[in-house]
Amino acid sequence: MLAEEIIPFVDGTYRTDTAYRVIAGASIGGLFAVYAVFERPGLFEGCIASSPSLSWSNEVVLGMAQTHATSAAPLNCRIYIGYATGDSMRIIDSSRNFARLGDYPAS
């Protein structure tokens, strides 16, 4: 739905740079943004996830990142994950665990 309906709608309605597409979200939206990057490699060139809920559903998205990190396939997406000092330790720990999987900064 995202690639087939939402992105074409946004591109047709607004001035967008289709050469460098970025997805962003916070909390559950941050989880979805990171999920979308691994579910559809090549769809986004950038991802910004603020306090993402990466521990959701037994860390399924961390599993996707782990699988990708051990593969030879290029992701071709820059991922930034940020969290605040006031965030829960689950968010902080899962963000740090994500950063350890590959070249994904988390701060």
Side-chain angles (χ1 to χ4, degrees):
M1 176 177 214
L2 185 63
E4 295 79 14
E5 295 181 29
I6 296 172
I7 289 174
F9 172 78
V10 171
D11 288 344
T13 306
Y14 305 99
R15 276 188 358 210
T16 61
D17 180 357
T18 59
Y20 195 84
R21 191 173 314 280
V22 177
I23 188 168
S27 191
I28 291 293
L31 171 71
F32 176 75
V34 176
Y35 168 81
V37 166
F38 289 102
E39 181 65 20
R40 292 289 301 264
L43 187 59
F44 298 100
E45 288 74 34
C47 174
I48 302 167
S50 177
S51 302
S53 299
L54 296 173
S55 61
W56 180 81
S57 190
N58 294 318
E59 299 183 339
V60 66
V61 174
L62 287 175
M64 294 171 76
Q66 176 68 46
T67 299
H68 180 270
T70 58
S71 76
L75 189 57
N76 298 325
C77 182
R78 296 180 62 114
I79 300 173
Y80 174 81
I81 293 182
Y83 54 84
T85 56
D87 279 335
S88 72
M89 286 311 296
R90 288 182 74 179
I91 287 177
I92 293 170
D93 289 344
S94 62
S95 295
R96 288 177 177 167
N97 289 340
F98 180 85
R100 288 185 194 102
L101 295 175
D103 189 18
Y104 317 121
S107 63

